[in-house]
């Protein structure tokens, strides 16, 4: 009887944690989706590679949070597989940013530092909110760990955009924007390697043969 009650209590605690995770993931998904539309539009208008790279990262995160929600009620294999997909997506966006950087180097037109400051600051506020919501789940499992990793990268990228905006304003050059975009791409690629490696290791050799 005692073992039965103990098992039931553990199961209820697990389900409660999943409900909490679901609410948090839905909230951060909505925040990132809205911010992607606003920041990408501002990046196009401002002609800023760094702002557009940051916005694309927001879109990627919305997709990542959707994957996390999908894997939430599923088994360990699904969670590790979702984390592997997130790593692949981060890698894809990192390569996409490099392509955009090449286009900006060719044009050489400096972006609007005021728009970069305004929307970079707004994106930072949104991502700090997401990070605070995800903080207590960061070490719960590979699924939530990879989700937290994405949000932490966003904060780094946002700070970089703000630094680029100030530098562009002082110099009147496009190069600070390009340099920060390169750094954002580097963060993407580094994170992709980490997430993919962790997820691949957690899947295990037996599970990998099944996929």
């Amino acid at each position: 009887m005692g073992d039965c009650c103990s098992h039931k209590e553990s199961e209820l605690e697990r389900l409660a944690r999943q409900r909490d995770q679901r609410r948090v993931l839905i909230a951060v998904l909505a925040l990132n989706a809205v911010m992607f539309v606003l920041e990408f539009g501002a990046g196009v208008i401002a002609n800023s590679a760094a702002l557009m790279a940051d916005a694309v990262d927001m879109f990627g995160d919305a997709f990542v949070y959707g994957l996390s929600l999908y894997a939430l009620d599923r088994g360990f294999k699904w969670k590790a597989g979702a984390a592997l997909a997130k790593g692949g997506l981060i890698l894809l966006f990192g390569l996409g940013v490099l392509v955009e950087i090449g286009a900006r180097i060719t044009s050489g037109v400096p972006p609007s530092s005021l728009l970069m400051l305004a929307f970079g600051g707004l994106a930072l506020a949104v991502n700090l909110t997401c990070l605070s919501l995800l903080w207590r789940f960061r070490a719960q499992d590979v699924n939530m760990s990879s989700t937290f990793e994405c949000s932490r990268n966003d904060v780094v990228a946002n700070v970089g955009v703000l630094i680029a905006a100030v530098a562009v304003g002082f110099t009147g050059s496009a190069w600070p924007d390009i340099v920060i975009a390169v750094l954002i791409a580097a963060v993407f690629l580094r994170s992709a390697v980490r997430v993919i490696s962790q997820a691949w290791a957690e899947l295990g050799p037996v599970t990998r043969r099944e996929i």
Side-chain angles (χ1 to χ4, degrees):
M1 180 68 72
D3 289 343
C4 178
C5 291
S6 176
H7 175 73
K8 185 179 292 184
E9 183 179 354
S10 298
E11 182 64 15
L12 288 173
E13 288 177 359
R14 184 186 67 82
L15 291 174
R17 286 197 301 270
Q18 286 186 330
R19 283 196 295 270
D20 288 343
Q21 288 180 38
R22 189 178 298 281
R23 283 194 293 267
V24 166
L25 288 171
I26 290 172
V28 295
L29 190 158
L31 286 170
N32 276 267
V34 171
M35 196 61 222
F36 160 69
V37 174
L38 295 175
E39 193 177 19
F40 192 83
V44 172
I45 295 170
N47 196 38
S48 168
L51 205 57
M52 281 189 279
D54 197 36
V56 168
D57 185 35
M58 289 283 194
F59 175 79
D61 283 348
F63 181 77
V64 161
Y65 298 137
L67 275 178
S68 296
L69 281 166
Y70 180 75
L72 195 58
D73 295 327
R74 288 165 171 79
F76 183 81
K77 174 183 172 181
W78 279 99
K79 290 182 178 181
L84 191 63
K86 293 173 203 173
L89 186 68
I90 296 170
L91 178 62
L92 180 63
F93 280 128
L95 296 175
V97 169
L98 292 178
V99 172
E100 180 62 29
I101 289 167
R104 295 302 161 196
I105 291 174
T106 302
S107 69
V109 178
S112 167
S113 59
L114 289 178
L115 280 176
M116 289 178 69
L117 278 172
F119 284 90
L122 180 60
L124 178 60
V126 168
N127 279 318
L128 285 174
T129 301
C130 292
L131 200 65
S132 66
L133 290 171
L134 291 165
W135 178 262
R136 64 192 174 109
F137 302 112
R138 68 191 185 281
Q140 199 157 66
D141 56 43
V142 66
N143 185 40
M144 296 304 291
S145 175
S146 60
T147 301
F148 180 81
E149 175 94 12
C150 292
S151 285
R152 187 179 61 187
N153 289 346
D154 290 346
V155 171
V156 175
N158 297 151
V159 173
V161 170
L162 294 176
I163 292 172
V166 173
V168 167
F170 274 108
T171 65
S173 168
W175 278 105
D177 180 63
I178 292 169
V179 168
I180 293 300
V182 169
L183 292 177
I184 291 174
V187 170
F188 283 177
L189 298 176
R190 176 180 175 274
S191 180
V193 170
R194 175 186 287 183
V195 172
I196 290 171
S197 298
Q198 182 185 7
W200 193 248
E202 298 251 1
L203 277 170
V206 174
T207 305
R208 284 199 292 268
R209 284 198 296 268
E210 295 175 359
I211 297 176

